[in-house]
Amino acid sequence: MQRNDNQSATQGDEPIPPMQQLLDNPFMLVFIGVLFPTVFYILWGIMEIISIPAVK
Amino acid sequence: MAMFRQCPDSGLFFHKSAESLMKAHAVLGVVYLLIGGVLGLLVALTRMPSLHVLNAEDFYLALSIHGTAILIFWIIFFEMAVLYFAASTLLRCRPATPGIGWIGFLLMVIGSTLVMVAFFRGNSSVMFTSYVPMPAEPIFYLGLILFAVGALIGCFIFLGTLVIAKKENTYDGSIPLVTFGALTATVIAIFTIASGAVILIPTLLWSLGFINHIDPLMYRTIWWALGHSSQQINVSAHVAIWYAIAAIIFGAKPMSEKVSRTAFLLYILFLQLASAHHILADPGVSSTWKVFNTSYAMYLAVLASMIHGLTVPGCIEIAQRKKGFNNGLFEWLQKAPWANPVFSGMFISLIIFGFIGGITGVVMGTEQINLIIHNTIFVPGHFHATVAVGTTLAFMAITYFLIPVLFRRQLIWPNACKWQPYIFGGGMLILSLLLLGAGTLGVPRRHWDINFSDAALQFQYAGTAITMMGIAGLGGLMAAVGGAMFCLIAVGSLVFGKRLDPGASLFSSFGFPMAASCYNIERPGKLELAPIEQTGDSGVQAKGTFVLALVFLASFVVYFFINAKYLSSIWPMG
């Protein structure tokens, strides 16, 4: 398989764009990939469920 | 010490330790595909009203094993093999901590075995979802937890291998796109497994009697972050495989790496949120939560899938046109190697995943329309198009490439290899379409007997629905034949296939290293960047793909409209 990283065209003397820096950082991707669904799906969902009044 | 070998056919480099881990994981995956497939056939034949082969107890046992063996064990074992391949082989790098990789593998084997033992003991037929308060034996939950820990170890070894590759400077520029797709799968896997731990550890304690109560809605909400996100690992992995196969067969280069990588980033951010569509009929969470997660956010992940669905055939078209297949809109497709199962499997996977799995997934992710089909057999119709065809067929396709390259064995039965993707894909297409139709008419999922033969209150489904379930069973039978062909070809090739390398012994087919003399490279050459090509006019070059995309969008609109119209007719307002 041959490689063709078009995005690496900016490498060399030019500074690496922030978006490419993000895509080249696996640990940052892990961080945001866990953060987003944890906040929007799990934490928000749990907050809604625990705010349901208990049956008296 | 020389630890690498180079495949003379593909030019790929394999590290001794990573190669063994890939083989062991892939073989175990196929074992679970076989188990899950046999039980799946029994489920399909039971849901055929005219045959109805299993009694109720055996049906729920078979359904539990089928779901878990296929949706968790087959898929994740194979994905671990993909991760070792994408990191070590594609980056020409030694794997991080292979010894710990074997511990992870062992935990996955022990965990999956415990789950199977729990099933076959007969007291844990709780199905794939294992909703509380329906109890399973403690070893069921323990097995799932051990399996998840093993898989998590594999994910961190993948990340560690990326670090080693960067540090040892084994590649130029960014990691290859296929490796980036595998990284996306890893990110989603970490979230998925962490969610599983959050809910399965308390459930294990509940099953042991240390906790009195687990709230069913809380369980369902968090469990689906495991249950649905695990299927999103598949999506990322099989899309990475589509790109790999396009490069392997055609030498195709992505139309735009920037766009494809951005699409994978959209997966990382938004794909897991689609788990919420399983909770759309639950009263405990607000419409804002439901609509944000299943519509606004999920549509960004759908956009990513549509980008991949455009760029994979698009890059194949451009590669084919460069070879001279320029007549009309579709000569490039007509002259594609349809007799090669690596290509045919991948392309059938792509088309059915997009047209059937993708469109139905978005439609049922809409809160209002979901009411028509929630918990009906429409849902299995959707995920057999996404997982059984989209993921499984893509994994089968890459296996036809890996048997000669990784295992160094020639494929047996070339004619059967040629037909297998069509038989499996065709059977699954029939099954999926008919389940979608029957589900739209209200046939429930997970139901042993829709004729309600022993029920006090009788209910009769429309004759069309009964007929559809019968034809769906025939589709399931055809898919099972295709699945059995794959297992026979794969295992038969590993055992009886002609050795392509004298060092490829029987044991090396199942995870042991090949003869020491095979590993004669100390350090492979650096993975260089290919020359940058002008790709700004790729969209214009891929005219046929553009027409296919328009057909896809038209199908999408028409199907969405039909469902909205159907909803208005069964739920009149005013």
Side-chain angles (χ1 to χ4, degrees):
Chain A
M1 279 185 287
Q2 202 177 12
R3 299 194 56 201
N4 182 39
D5 287 5
N6 296 338
Q7 62 162 21
S8 299
T10 53
Q11 289 185 344
D13 296 335
E14 294 178 36
I16 299 173
M19 183 69 168
Q20 190 178 331
Q21 286 183 39
L22 170 68
L23 295 175
D24 283 346
N25 187 337
F27 295 98
M28 183 56 80
L29 293 174
V30 170
F31 176 72
I32 60 171
V34 173
L35 181 72
F36 261 64
T38 302
V39 170
F40 290 113
Y41 179 84
I42 291 187
L43 293 180
W44 183 3
I46 288 174
M47 281 167 60
E48 296 218 342
I49 294 166
I50 60 177
S51 65
I52 300 170
V55 178
K56 291 179 182 172
Chain B
M1 189 179 167
M3 292 289 275
F4 285 91
R5 70 171 177 88
Q6 185 173 24
C7 168
D9 303 323
S10 64
L12 292 169
F13 291 91
F14 290 94
H15 187 276
K16 192 177 178 180
S17 311
E19 179 181 61
S20 295
L21 283 160
M22 282 177 225
K23 288 175 181 173
H25 283 90
V27 167
L28 253 292
V30 173
V31 168
Y32 278 108
L33 177 67
L34 179 63
I35 295 170
V38 170
L39 276 295
L41 175 62
L42 292 175
V43 170
L45 297 181
T46 304
R47 296 228 54 174
M48 279 179 86
S50 53
L51 288 182
H52 209 52
V53 294
L54 296 178
N55 61 40
E57 198 173 327
D58 291 341
F59 170 76
Y60 288 109
L61 173 70
L63 187 57
S64 301
I65 298 174
H66 170 60
T68 311
I70 297 291
L71 291 171
I72 297 281
F73 299 150
W74 141 245
I75 294 291
I76 293 185
F77 267 117
F78 200 92
E79 277 160 0
M80 288 298 128
V82 171
L83 293 191
Y84 284 108
F85 176 81
S88 173
T89 298
L90 295 186
L91 295 180
R92 303 181 177 186
C93 173
R94 65 185 170 89
T97 62
I100 296 177
W102 284 109
I103 294 174
F105 173 74
L106 201 61
L107 284 173
M108 290 172 73
V109 172
I110 294 169
S112 56
T113 307
L114 285 179
V115 172
M116 285 296 139
V117 168
F119 279 142
F120 281 111
R121 281 159 58 99
N123 295 321
S124 299
S125 299
V126 290
M127 293 176 281
F128 170 61
T129 44
S130 58
Y131 287 149
V132 299
M134 201 162 46
E137 289 192 71
I139 57 166
F140 170 81
Y141 304 108
L142 179 65
L144 285 178
I145 291 166
L146 291 179
F147 181 84
V149 171
L152 195 59
I153 288 173
C155 292
F156 284 112
I157 289 175
F158 173 82
L159 292 172
T161 308
L162 295 190
V163 172
I164 291 174
K166 185 88 179 166
K167 195 175 171 188
E168 296 183 354
N169 207 17
T170 65
Y171 64 95
D172 265 341
S174 305
I175 55 174
L177 184 61
V178 175
T179 310
F180 193 79
L183 171 60
T184 304
T186 303
V187 172
I188 296 174
I190 291 170
F191 168 76
T192 302
I193 294 167
S195 307
V198 167
I199 199 61
L200 287 175
I201 291 172
T203 311
L204 170 64
L205 297 175
W206 167 74
S207 73
L208 289 166
F210 295 115
I211 292 177
N212 290 329
H213 174 73
I214 290 187
D215 180 72
L217 180 57
M218 190 72 86
Y219 178 92
R220 284 163 60 81
T221 305
I222 302 176
W223 189 89
W224 276 113
L226 161 75
H228 198 85
S229 299
S230 59
Q231 309 316 307
Q232 316 294 22
I233 309 170
N234 306 342
V235 174
S236 310
H238 78 229
V239 169
I241 286 173
W242 292 347
Y243 281 110
I245 290 176
I248 290 163
I249 301 285
F250 300 96
K253 297 166 185 174
M255 293 167 80
S256 164
E257 290 239 3
K258 282 179 194 168
V259 171
S260 295
R261 282 172 202 257
T262 306
F264 276 123
L265 179 65
L266 289 175
Y267 276 175
I268 287 172
L269 294 173
F270 301 111
L271 196 53
Q272 301 97 307
L273 303 180
S275 307
H277 81 75
H278 292 277
I279 317 292
L280 284 176
D282 284 57
V285 281
S286 68
S287 276
T288 315
W289 181 87
K290 291 173 181 173
V291 172
F292 175 82
N293 280 293
T294 59
S295 295
Y296 291 104
M298 193 181 87
Y299 292 158
L300 292 169
V302 172
L303 172 68
S305 284
M306 291 199 294
I307 289 171
H308 294 306
L310 180 75
T311 57
V312 173
C315 72
I316 292 173
E317 179 176 354
I318 291 167
Q320 287 282 77
R321 285 186 185 276
K322 278 183 186 163
K323 289 175 189 163
F325 300 122
N326 262 316
N327 290 331
L329 285 171
F330 295 114
E331 192 195 16
W332 63 276
L333 194 55
Q334 196 186 346
K335 297 283 171 65
W338 290 101
N340 181 345
V342 182
F343 169 73
S344 61
M346 178 277 254
F347 209 81
I348 295 168
S349 151
L350 187 149
I351 293 294
I352 296 181
F353 176 81
F355 275 84
I356 311 295
I359 291 176
T360 57
V362 173
V363 167
M364 75 177 179
T366 307
E367 190 183 8
Q368 296 81 1
I369 295 177
N370 186 274
L371 292 175
I372 309 175
I373 51 82
H374 196 88
N375 260 347
T376 69
I377 205 151
F378 182 100
V379 182
H382 156 75
F383 68 67
H384 278 81
T386 55
V387 182
V389 186
T391 304
T392 297
L393 196 48
F395 287 1
M396 287 173 171
I398 196 78
T399 302
Y400 288 115
F401 168 73
L402 289 176
I403 286 175
V405 167
L406 170 63
F407 293 89
R408 300 305 289 148
R409 292 277 180 158
Q410 197 171 54
L411 287 163
I412 59 169
W413 305 338
N415 272 330
C417 294
K418 198 188 300 178
W419 286 105
Q420 187 274 333
Y422 297 98
I423 295 170
F424 182 79
M428 278 298 171
L429 177 63
I430 294 169
L431 177 82
S432 294
L433 288 175
L434 274 296
L435 293 188
L436 291 165
T440 308
L441 295 175
V443 174
R445 67 186 296 201
R446 303 180 178 129
H447 205 294
W448 170 63
D449 178 21
I450 60 167
N451 288 322
F452 297 95
S453 44
D454 297 331
L457 297 172
Q458 294 294 308
F459 181 81
Q460 185 67 50
Y461 281 99
T464 317
I466 304 286
T467 307
M468 283 182 173
M469 290 303 292
I471 302 172
L474 293 176
L477 182 62
M478 183 175 162
V481 170
M485 285 170 72
F486 171 78
C487 292
L488 286 172
I489 291 166
V491 177
S493 300
L494 298 190
V495 177
F496 303 112
K498 184 185 165 192
R499 292 182 194 190
L500 297 173
D501 194 311
S505 67
L506 178 62
F507 288 119
S508 71
S509 287
F510 295 91
F512 286 85
M514 296 193 348
S517 57
C518 298
Y519 304 97
N520 50 11
I521 299 168
E522 197 161 327
R523 184 175 169 147
K526 192 175 183 181
L527 183 62
E528 306 278 352
L529 287 173
I532 295 162
E533 294 178 10
Q534 181 59 43
T535 52
D537 57 351
S538 293
V540 181
Q541 288 175 38
K543 299 182 194 81
T545 303
F546 188 66
V547 170
L548 286 177
L550 290 178
V551 172
F552 172 83
L553 289 172
S555 312
F556 205 148
V557 170
V558 168
Y559 190 70
F560 202 96
F561 175 78
I562 289 170
N563 277 275
K565 182 86 177 88
Y566 185 43
L567 176 66
S568 72
S569 69
I570 60 170
W571 189 21
M573 304 294 285

